[in-house]
Coordinates of all heavy atoms in Angstrom, one line a residue:
M1 N 55.2 133.3 103.4 CA 55.1 131.9 103.7 C 56.4 131.4 104.1 O 56.5 130.3 104.8 CB 54.5 131.1 102.5 CG 53.1 131.4 102.2 SD 52.0 131.1 103.6 CE 51.6 129.4 103.2
N2 N 57.5 132.0 103.7 CA 58.8 131.5 104.1 C 58.9 131.6 105.7 O 59.6 130.8 106.3 CB 59.9 132.3 103.5 CG 61.2 131.6 103.6 OD1 61.3 130.4 104.0 ND2 62.3 132.3 103.3
T3 N 58.3 132.6 106.3 CA 58.3 132.7 107.7 C 57.7 131.5 108.4 O 58.2 131.0 109.4 CB 57.6 134.0 108.2 OG1 58.1 135.1 107.5 CG2 57.7 134.2 109.6
V4 N 56.6 131.0 107.8 CA 56.0 129.8 108.3 C 57.0 128.6 108.3 O 57.0 127.8 109.2 CB 54.7 129.5 107.6 CG1 54.1 128.2 108.1 CG2 53.7 130.6 107.7
D5 N 57.7 128.5 107.2 CA 58.7 127.4 107.1 C 59.8 127.5 108.2 O 60.2 126.5 108.7 CB 59.4 127.5 105.7 CG 58.6 127.0 104.6 OD1 57.6 126.2 104.9 OD2 58.8 127.3 103.4
Q6 N 60.1 128.8 108.6 CA 61.1 129.0 109.6 C 60.6 128.7 111.0 O 61.3 128.2 111.8 CB 61.7 130.4 109.5 CG 62.4 130.7 108.2 CD 63.6 129.9 108.0 OE1 64.3 129.6 109.0 NE2 63.9 129.5 106.8
L7 N 59.3 129.0 111.2 CA 58.7 128.8 112.5 C 58.4 127.4 112.8 O 58.5 126.9 113.9 CB 57.4 129.6 112.7 CG 57.6 131.2 112.7 CD1 56.3 131.8 112.7 CD2 58.4 131.5 114.0
M8 N 58.0 126.6 111.8 CA 57.7 125.2 111.9 C 58.6 124.4 110.9 O 58.1 124.0 109.9 CB 56.2 125.0 111.6 CG 55.3 125.7 112.6 SD 53.6 125.3 112.2 CE 53.3 126.3 110.8
P9 N 59.8 124.1 111.3 CA 60.7 123.4 110.4 C 60.4 122.0 110.1 O 60.9 121.4 109.2 CB 62.1 123.6 111.1 CG 61.8 123.8 112.5 CD 60.5 124.5 112.6
I10 N 59.4 121.5 110.9 CA 59.0 120.1 110.7 C 58.2 119.9 109.4 O 58.3 119.0 108.7 CB 58.2 119.6 111.9 CG1 59.1 119.6 113.2 CG2 57.7 118.2 111.7 CD1 58.4 119.3 114.5
I11 N 57.4 121.0 109.1 CA 56.5 120.9 108.0 C 57.3 121.5 106.8 O 57.9 122.6 106.8 CB 55.3 121.8 108.2 CG1 54.5 121.3 109.4 CG2 54.4 121.9 107.0 CD1 53.4 122.2 109.9
N12 N 57.3 120.8 105.7 CA 57.9 121.2 104.5 C 56.9 121.7 103.5 O 56.1 120.9 103.0 CB 58.8 120.1 103.8 CG 59.5 120.6 102.6 OD1 59.6 121.8 102.3 ND2 60.2 119.6 101.9
L13 N 56.8 123.0 103.2 CA 55.8 123.5 102.3 C 56.3 123.5 100.9 O 55.5 123.8 100.0 CB 55.4 124.9 102.7 CG 54.8 125.0 104.1 CD1 54.5 126.5 104.5 CD2 53.5 124.2 104.2
G14 N 57.5 123.2 100.6 CA 58.1 123.1 99.3 C 58.4 124.4 98.6 O 58.5 124.5 97.4
H15 N 58.6 125.5 99.4 CA 58.9 126.8 98.8 C 60.3 126.8 98.2 O 60.5 127.6 97.3 CB 58.7 127.9 99.8 CG 57.3 128.1 100.1 ND1 56.6 129.1 99.5 CD2 56.4 127.5 101.0 CE1 55.3 129.1 99.9 NE2 55.2 128.1 100.8
E16 N 61.2 126.1 98.7 CA 62.6 126.1 98.2 C 62.6 125.7 96.7 O 63.3 126.3 95.9 CB 63.5 125.2 99.0 CG 63.7 125.6 100.4 CD 62.6 124.9 101.3 OE1 62.1 123.8 100.9 OE2 62.2 125.5 102.3
V17 N 61.9 124.6 96.4 CA 61.8 124.1 95.0 C 61.0 125.0 94.1 O 61.3 125.2 93.0 CB 61.3 122.6 95.1 CG1 61.2 122.1 93.7 CG2 62.2 121.8 95.9
M18 N 59.9 125.5 94.7 CA 58.9 126.2 93.9 C 59.5 127.5 93.3 O 59.2 127.9 92.2 CB 57.7 126.6 94.7 CG 56.6 127.2 93.9 SD 55.2 127.7 95.0 CE 54.8 126.2 95.8
W19 N 60.4 128.2 94.1 CA 60.9 129.5 93.7 C 62.2 129.5 93.1 O 62.8 130.5 92.9 CB 60.8 130.4 94.9 CG 59.4 130.7 95.4 CD1 58.8 130.1 96.5 CD2 58.5 131.5 94.7 NE1 57.5 130.6 96.6 CE2 57.3 131.4 95.5 CE3 58.5 132.3 93.6 CZ2 56.1 132.1 95.2 CZ3 57.3 133.0 93.3 CH2 56.2 132.9 94.0
Q20 N 62.8 128.3 92.8 CA 64.1 128.2 92.2 C 64.0 128.4 90.7 O 63.1 127.8 90.0 CB 64.7 126.9 92.4 CG 65.3 126.7 93.8 CD 66.0 125.4 94.0 OE1 66.0 124.6 93.1 NE2 66.7 125.3 95.1
A21 N 64.8 129.3 90.1 CA 64.8 129.6 88.7 C 65.7 128.5 88.0 O 66.7 128.0 88.6 CB 65.3 131.0 88.4
H22 N 65.4 128.2 86.8 CA 66.2 127.2 86.0 C 66.5 127.7 84.6 O 65.7 128.5 84.1 CB 65.4 125.9 85.9 CG 65.1 125.2 87.2 ND1 66.0 124.6 87.9 CD2 63.9 125.1 87.9 CE1 65.5 124.1 89.0 NE2 64.2 124.5 89.1
G23 N 67.6 127.4 84.1 CA 67.9 127.7 82.7 C 68.2 129.2 82.5 O 68.9 129.8 83.3
A24 N 67.6 129.8 81.5 CA 67.9 131.2 81.1 C 67.3 132.1 82.2 O 67.9 133.2 82.5 CB 67.2 131.5 79.8
S25 N 66.2 131.8 82.8 CA 65.6 132.6 83.9 C 66.5 132.7 85.1 O 66.6 133.8 85.8 CB 64.2 132.2 84.3 OG 64.3 130.9 84.8
K26 N 67.3 131.7 85.3 CA 68.3 131.7 86.4 C 69.4 132.8 86.1 O 69.7 133.6 87.0 CB 68.9 130.4 86.7 CG 69.8 130.3 87.8 CD 70.3 128.9 88.1 CE 71.1 128.8 89.4 NZ 71.4 127.4 89.7
W27 N 69.9 132.8 84.9 CA 70.9 133.8 84.5 C 70.3 135.2 84.5 O 71.0 136.1 84.9 CB 71.5 133.4 83.2 CG 72.4 132.2 83.3 CD1 72.2 131.0 82.9 CD2 73.7 132.2 84.0 NE1 73.3 130.2 83.3 CE2 74.2 130.9 84.0 CE3 74.4 133.2 84.7 CZ2 75.4 130.5 84.5 CZ3 75.7 132.8 85.3 CH2 76.1 131.5 85.2
A28 N 69.1 135.3 84.1 CA 68.4 136.6 84.1 C 68.3 137.1 85.5 O 68.5 138.3 85.8 CB 67.1 136.6 83.4
T29 N 68.0 136.2 86.4 CA 67.9 136.6 87.8 C 69.2 137.1 88.4 O 69.3 138.1 89.1 CB 67.3 135.4 88.7 OG1 66.1 135.0 88.1 CG2 67.2 135.7 90.1
V30 N 70.3 136.3 88.1 CA 71.6 136.7 88.6 C 72.0 138.1 88.0 O 72.5 138.9 88.7 CB 72.6 135.6 88.2 CG1 74.1 136.1 88.4 CG2 72.4 134.3 88.9
I31 N 71.8 138.3 86.7 CA 72.1 139.6 86.1 C 71.3 140.7 86.7 O 71.9 141.8 87.0 CB 71.9 139.5 84.6 CG1 72.9 138.6 84.0 CG2 72.0 140.9 84.0 CD1 72.7 138.2 82.5
L32 N 70.0 140.5 87.0 CA 69.2 141.6 87.6 C 69.7 141.8 89.1 O 69.6 143.0 89.5 CB 67.7 141.2 87.6 CG 67.1 141.2 86.2 CD1 65.7 140.7 86.3 CD2 67.1 142.7 85.7
I33 N 70.1 140.8 89.8 CA 70.6 141.0 91.2 C 71.9 141.8 91.1 O 72.0 142.8 91.9 CB 70.8 139.7 91.9 CG1 69.4 139.0 92.2 CG2 71.6 139.8 93.1 CD1 69.5 137.6 92.7
I34 N 72.8 141.5 90.2 CA 74.0 142.2 90.1 C 73.7 143.7 89.7 O 74.3 144.6 90.3 CB 75.0 141.5 89.1 CG1 75.5 140.2 89.7 CG2 76.2 142.4 88.8 CD1 76.2 139.3 88.7
A35 N 72.8 143.9 88.7 CA 72.5 145.2 88.3 C 71.9 146.0 89.5 O 72.2 147.2 89.6 CB 71.5 145.2 87.1
G36 N 71.1 145.4 90.3 CA 70.5 146.1 91.4 C 71.5 146.5 92.5 O 71.5 147.6 93.0
W37 N 72.5 145.6 92.7 CA 73.6 146.0 93.6 C 74.4 147.1 93.1 O 74.8 148.0 93.8 CB 74.5 144.8 93.9 CG 74.0 143.9 95.0 CD1 73.3 142.7 94.9 CD2 74.0 144.2 96.4 NE1 73.0 142.2 96.1 CE2 73.4 143.1 97.1 CE3 74.5 145.2 97.2 CZ2 73.2 143.1 98.4 CZ3 74.3 145.2 98.5 CH2 73.7 144.1 99.1
V38 N 74.7 147.1 91.8 CA 75.5 148.2 91.2 C 74.7 149.5 91.3 O 75.3 150.5 91.7 CB 75.9 147.9 89.7 CG1 76.4 149.1 89.0 CG2 76.9 146.7 89.7
L39 N 73.5 149.5 91.0 CA 72.6 150.7 91.0 C 72.5 151.2 92.5 O 72.7 152.4 92.7 CB 71.2 150.4 90.5 CG 70.2 151.5 90.5 CD1 70.7 152.7 89.6 CD2 68.9 151.1 90.1
A40 N 72.3 150.3 93.4 CA 72.2 150.7 94.8 C 73.5 151.3 95.3 O 73.5 152.3 96.0 CB 71.8 149.5 95.7
T41 N 74.6 150.7 94.9 CA 75.9 151.2 95.4 C 76.2 152.6 94.7 O 76.7 153.5 95.4 CB 77.0 150.2 94.9 OG1 76.7 149.0 95.5 CG2 78.4 150.7 95.4
T42 N 75.8 152.8 93.5 CA 76.0 154.0 92.8 C 75.2 155.1 93.4 O 75.6 156.3 93.7 CB 75.7 153.9 91.3 OG1 76.5 152.9 90.7 CG2 75.9 155.2 90.6
V43 N 73.9 154.8 93.7 CA 73.0 155.8 94.4 C 73.6 156.2 95.8 O 73.6 157.3 96.1 CB 71.6 155.3 94.5 CG1 70.7 156.1 95.4 CG2 71.0 155.2 93.1
A44 N 74.0 155.2 96.5 CA 74.6 155.4 97.9 C 75.8 156.3 97.8 O 76.0 157.2 98.6 CB 74.9 154.1 98.6
A45 N 76.7 156.0 96.8 CA 77.9 156.8 96.6 C 77.5 158.3 96.2 O 78.1 159.2 96.7 CB 78.8 156.2 95.6
G46 N 76.5 158.4 95.4 CA 76.1 159.7 95.0 C 75.5 160.5 96.1 O 75.8 161.7 96.3
I47 N 74.7 159.9 96.9 CA 74.1 160.6 98.1 C 75.2 161.0 99.1 O 75.2 162.1 99.6 CB 73.0 159.7 98.7 CG1 71.8 159.6 97.8 CG2 72.6 160.2 100.1 CD1 70.8 158.5 98.3
T48 N 76.1 160.1 99.3 CA 77.2 160.4 100.2 C 78.1 161.6 99.7 O 78.4 162.5 100.5 CB 78.1 159.1 100.4 OG1 77.4 158.1 100.9 CG2 79.3 159.4 101.4
R49 N 78.4 161.6 98.5 CA 79.1 162.7 97.9 C 78.4 164.0 98.0 O 78.9 165.0 98.3 CB 79.5 162.4 96.4 CG 80.3 163.4 95.8 CD 80.7 163.0 94.4 NE 81.3 164.2 93.7 CZ 82.6 164.2 93.4 NH1 83.4 163.2 93.7 NH2 83.0 165.3 92.8
A50 N 77.1 163.9 97.7 CA 76.2 165.2 97.8 C 76.2 165.7 99.2 O 76.2 166.9 99.4 CB 74.8 164.9 97.2
L51 N 76.1 164.8 100.2 CA 76.0 165.2 101.5 C 77.4 165.8 102.0 O 77.4 166.8 102.7 CB 75.6 164.1 102.5 CG 74.2 163.6 102.4 CD1 74.0 162.3 103.2 CD2 73.2 164.7 102.8
R52 N 78.5 165.2 101.6 CA 79.8 165.7 101.9 C 80.0 167.1 101.3 O 80.6 167.9 101.9 CB 80.9 164.7 101.4 CG 81.6 164.1 102.6 CD 82.8 163.3 102.1 NE 82.4 161.9 102.2 CZ 83.0 161.0 101.4 NH1 83.9 161.3 100.5 NH2 82.6 159.8 101.5
R53 N 79.6 167.2 100.0 CA 79.7 168.5 99.4 C 78.9 169.6 100.0 O 79.4 170.7 100.2 CB 79.3 168.4 97.9 CG 79.9 169.4 97.0 CD 79.4 169.3 95.6 NE 79.9 168.1 95.0 CZ 79.5 167.6 93.8 NH1 78.5 168.3 93.1 NH2 79.9 166.6 93.3
G54 N 77.8 169.2 100.5 CA 76.9 170.2 101.3 C 77.5 170.6 102.6 O 77.4 171.7 103.1
I55 N 78.2 169.7 103.3 CA 78.8 169.9 104.6 C 80.1 170.8 104.4 O 80.4 171.6 105.3 CB 79.1 168.6 105.3 CG1 77.8 167.9 105.7 CG2 79.9 168.8 106.6 CD1 77.9 166.5 106.2
D56 N 80.9 170.5 103.4 CA 82.1 171.2 103.2 C 82.0 172.7 102.9 O 82.9 173.5 103.2 CB 83.0 170.6 102.1 CG 83.5 169.2 102.5 OD1 83.6 169.0 103.7 OD2 83.9 168.4 101.6
I57 N 80.8 173.1 102.4 CA 80.6 174.6 102.1 C 80.4 175.3 103.4 O 79.4 175.0 104.1 CB 79.5 174.7 101.1 CG1 79.8 174.0 99.8 CG2 79.2 176.2 100.9 CD1 78.6 174.0 98.8
R58 N 81.2 176.2 103.7 CA 81.1 177.0 105.0 C 81.0 178.5 104.7 O 81.4 179.1 103.9 CB 82.3 176.7 105.9 CG 82.3 175.3 106.3 CD 83.6 175.0 107.1 NE 83.7 173.6 107.3 CZ 84.5 173.1 108.2 NH1 85.1 173.8 109.0 NH2 84.6 171.8 108.2

């Protein structure tokens, strides 16, 4: 539905207010986002290292 908001900016469907977290759930959301970035970065670094290690063996 956010796409509809972007295509027709004249109509306000209220999604900005509906999906905002408040209080403790806002902090939980921030912590989960940070944890996701750390996990994704760790996995990407591990894959890169594994690929480099596989290429160096001749």
Side-chain angles (χ1 to χ4, degrees):
M1 291 302 269
N2 195 14
T3 306
V4 176
D5 284 339
Q6 297 297 324
L7 290 174
M8 295 183 286
I10 297 171
I11 300 171
N12 184 8
L13 299 176
H15 287 266
E16 300 88 27
V17 178
M18 185 184 310
W19 294 104
Q20 285 185 351
H22 300 284
S25 61
K26 184 174 186 174
W27 286 108
T29 303
V30 169
I31 291 169
L32 288 173
I33 289 170
I34 292 169
W37 275 104
V38 169
L39 180 62
T41 304
T42 304
V43 169
I47 290 171
T48 303
R49 182 179 170 109
L51 289 175
R52 248 191 256 152
R53 201 181 293 172
I55 292 171
D56 287 341
I57 298 173
R58 295 177 192 197

